[in-house]
Amino acid sequence: MTQEIDVSVVNLTKRWGNLTAVNNVSFDVPKGSFFSVLGPSASGKTTVLRMIAGFETPTAGDMFIGGQRINDVPANKRPCNLVFQRLALFPMMNVLDNVTFGLRRRGGISKAEMERMANDVLARVDLKGLNKRKISQLSGGQQQRVALARSLVLDPTVLLLDEPLSALDLKLRQDMKLELKRLQARMGTTFMYITHDQTIALAMSDTVAVINFGKLEQVASPDILYREPATHFVASFVGENNRLNHGRVVKLIDDQTCQVEIGGLLSVARIGEELAPGDDIDLFIRPEMIHLQLGKQASGIVGQIKEINFDGAHSLVVVQLTESAIPLSINVKFQHTEQAPAIAVNDTVTLSWGRAAANAFRHIEPPTEGKE
Ligand SMILES: Nc1ncnc2c1ncn2[C@@H]1O[C@H](COP(=O)(O)OP(=O)(O)O)[C@@H](O)[C@H]1O
Ligand SMILES: [Mg+2]
């Protein structure tokens, strides 16, 4: 089955002097999907979006919306609409006038028709009856929805969203996150969502493109991104992980699995990228995929509990490995089920995990502390 593509960028590059903000990026956004671009601050996310929206000219590369090359199409003629990080609403205008703003600029639509269209969209974003309210009289979440309505009323092929939730407090952000996802599913409009917040990207998206220093690292579903990171960066950026530096590949077991040694301890690992025996690797182990047993068991890695940080359904348990040649400690997300043993600080425990929990990538020097 071939999937219809709404937005496509091919070898997209943006340079300012010596700085390459976007470096040869290519991806396809399937029609009707929720597509996120995830990356740390200054990785080039906004620049990608601004090029698609037509506010920035690419140094190289092509952009397509609905199969049409848009490089030379003026911003206001592109079938997309940008929701800004700062919502850029008119605070003294009422909701209705904010929502019909784009329609009035477009022209050729009667006042009654504009109002009907606005009311229709306002109902979809749960703002029915607030037409006459001024923006300054709305809550943060309501303002968010007005900004969405103002874009959606223009019926864009794709809605471009640049971290629109980042100004909200945590609780509201959690609520809006789910709301936005439901809204997207209901409307069926293609959403292209930019964020540095992986919890948002993982929770909302059908597909996530991870970008770092302007380069595309991986494009995949949240599930694949989490379980099968394609690069060292994705493994360290997406989800929580234990990072053990400077291990060594002992042998390849099959085309996806290897055995690694770190501080004299052996572990099975998923091969994250092409590796050969002897390679210097970093090992990433998911805290929630580690099995913890009390006492010294016949197989597994022995350690001692140093800390237990209780967090309701589970605890984050810090285990110092006692048989490694170098000081190593591992965080374990310990689930408090009825079968789970009682644990205490200083207990001797045995940790074990399977291939799925551990990803091996060629070693990269960790960033120095304090630097961004
Ligand atoms: N107009 C500009 N002129 C020069 N450099 C810019 C300009 N806009 C952005 N940059 C630089 O490009 C890089 C990527 O910026 P941006 O796309 O805003 O990142 P993000 O949205 O991921 O935080 C940053 O280093 C930023 O300083
Ligand atoms: Mg940005």
Side-chain angles (χ1 to χ4, degrees):
M1 195 187 84
T2 55
Q3 205 164 15
E4 214 178 319
I5 301 301
D6 254 352
V7 180
S8 181
V9 305
V10 183
N11 303 328
L12 196 63
T13 297
K14 179 68 186 182
R15 276 191 286 271
W16 280 289
N18 289 334
L19 175 78
T20 304
V22 177
N23 194 348
N24 205 27
V25 165
S26 303
F27 57 74
D28 291 331
V29 180
K31 187 178 174 62
S33 71
F34 200 122
F35 186 96
S36 291
V37 179
L38 171 69
S41 172
S43 56
K45 306 180 296 293
T46 294
T47 306
V48 168
L49 214 62
R50 287 176 57 81
M51 287 193 280
I52 295 170
F55 301 134
E56 218 54 87
T57 312
T59 308
D62 296 303
M63 305 173 292
F64 303 86
I65 297 182
Q68 183 203 3
R69 186 172 179 276
I70 53 159
N71 287 50
D72 306 315
V73 177
N76 61 351
K77 294 270 161 33
R78 295 189 186 186
C80 60
N81 212 274
L82 182 61
V83 179
F84 294 94
Q85 198 158 10
R86 294 158 180 280
L87 303 175
L89 295 168
F90 302 108
M92 296 315 290
M93 278 190 203
N94 67 28
V95 169
L96 184 68
D97 290 342
N98 267 278
V99 172
T100 55
F101 180 75
L103 294 174
R104 291 203 303 276
R105 278 215 310 195
R106 196 176 268 179
I109 311 165
S110 74
K111 195 158 176 249
E113 176 62 5
M114 283 198 283
E115 206 162 319
R116 191 200 60 73
M117 290 164 79
N119 282 332
D120 185 46
V121 172
L122 284 168
R124 283 168 187 263
V125 298
D126 289 325
L127 283 177
K128 216 173 173 165
L130 292 181
N131 287 11
K132 296 297 171 201
R133 281 271 190 98
K134 285 208 173 71
I135 297 301
S136 52
Q137 296 167 331
L138 298 176
S139 72
Q142 288 171 328
Q143 294 186 16
Q144 200 75 55
R145 283 183 254 157
V146 176
L148 280 172
R150 184 180 56 177
S151 289
L152 288 169
V153 79
L154 297 170
D155 194 27
T157 303
V158 54
L159 193 63
L160 309 172
L161 302 111
D162 190 354
E163 312 221 23
L165 302 187
S166 60
L168 304 178
D169 63 48
L170 182 66
K171 175 71 174 76
L172 197 51
R173 194 156 68 227
Q174 305 290 9
D175 295 348
M176 276 305 289
K177 177 169 88 178
L178 298 176
E179 224 175 275
L180 207 55
K181 185 184 161 82
R182 290 188 194 118
L183 179 72
Q184 188 275 333
R186 215 161 55 220
M187 307 270 303
T189 306
T190 307
F191 274 32
M192 206 178 146
Y193 192 96
I194 300 297
T195 182
H196 68 279
D197 183 338
Q198 48 145 320
T199 62
I200 288 186
L202 294 180
M204 296 201 298
S205 314
D206 299 307
T207 311
V208 182
V210 181
I211 143 171
N212 187 33
F213 289 119
K215 277 205 176 126
L216 202 60
E217 297 270 340
Q218 185 171 8
V219 184
S221 66
D223 175 51
I224 294 292
L225 215 56
Y226 190 84
R227 288 188 295 112
E228 299 174 7
T231 67
H232 191 286
F233 176 77
V234 174
S236 60
F237 191 68
V238 176
E240 284 169 42
N241 247 326
N242 289 285
R243 174 177 175 173
L244 305 183
N245 287 316
H246 281 311
R248 184 178 58 87
V249 177
V250 176
K251 63 179 179 193
L252 305 181
I253 295 169
D254 59 40
D255 58 350
Q256 292 181 66
T257 320
C258 63
Q259 187 186 46
V260 300
E261 174 269 318
I262 195 155
L265 304 174
L266 293 175
S267 168
V268 67
R270 177 181 163 268
I271 299 171
E273 63 190 331
E274 209 182 313
L275 292 173
D279 279 355
D280 179 11
I281 54 104
D282 296 334
L283 190 62
F284 295 91
I285 310 168
R286 294 281 181 210
E288 77 282 12
M289 292 171 93
I290 300 171
H291 183 53
L292 181 151
Q293 293 167 279
L294 276 182
K296 187 177 160 136
Q297 302 292 329
S299 74
I301 292 178
V302 179
Q304 189 182 33
I305 295 181
K306 289 293 167 192
E307 272 178 42
I308 300 175
N309 301 290
F310 181 66
D311 182 19
H314 63 261
S315 289
L316 187 76
V317 181
V318 181
V319 178
Q320 173 105 51
L321 304 185
T322 40
E323 294 175 348
S324 61
I326 49 174
L328 287 177
S329 80
I330 288 191
N331 293 345
V332 180
K333 205 167 183 177
F334 181 75
Q335 209 74 33
H336 293 290
T337 61
E338 276 181 58
Q339 297 79 32
I343 52 170
V345 170
N346 291 328
D347 279 355
T348 294
V349 294
T350 302
L351 306 182
S352 54
W353 55 82
R355 179 184 75 105
N359 277 280
F361 290 93
R362 257 189 295 284
H363 172 71
I364 293 178
E365 277 311 309
T368 40
E369 291 289 325
K371 239 177 82 182
E372 211 206 33

